[in-house]
Amino acid sequence: FGFCTEFLLSDATVSAAEIQEQVKGYGDSLLVVGAEGFIKGHIHTEEPEQLLALVARYGKMVRSKVEDMSEQHQEILA
C-alpha cells in the first residue's frame, strides 16, 4: 500500500508541472497543483522521505504529511 504523502510549498521556484515531472517516478495517484507561488502535491509512494527532500529543493516546505496506508488498511479490517 505504501505511504500517502502530501506536501505544500510556498515561494516555489519552479512550476507545478516541473515538480510533477520530477516526482512521477516515485509512485502513483499523483496530483500536483499550483497557484500564486504555492504548490500542493499528493502521491502514494514507498519513499516519502526521499520524495519530500527532493520537493523541498524547489521552495519552502510549509506543510507535509505522511500516512502509512498499510496501517490504515489494517485498522479498517479490524
Side-chain angles (χ1 to χ4, degrees):
F1 292 98
F3 297 89
C4 179
T5 305
E6 298 179 0
F7 60 86
L8 177 63
L9 292 179
S10 68
D11 304 322
T13 59
V14 298
S15 70
E18 290 177 73
I19 290 181
Q20 182 165 332
E21 185 66 27
Q22 289 288 320
V23 302
K24 70 180 182 183
Y26 278 87
D28 58 18
S29 297
L30 175 62
L31 177 64
V32 180
V33 296
E36 300 179 14
F38 286 90
I39 296 180
K40 184 171 184 176
H42 170 273
I43 187 171
H44 296 169
T45 182
E46 293 292 338
E47 303 172 291
E49 295 87 8
Q50 293 91 333
L51 180 131
L52 292 173
L54 172 65
V55 170
R57 297 181 198 169
Y58 302 111
K60 179 181 175 190
M61 187 68 71
V62 175
R63 188 175 318 131
S64 65
K65 180 174 77 168
V66 177
E67 294 180 335
D68 185 337
M69 293 188 302
S70 296
E71 185 176 298
Q72 290 175 342
H73 182 73
Q74 291 302 320
E75 288 174 6
I76 289 169
L77 293 177

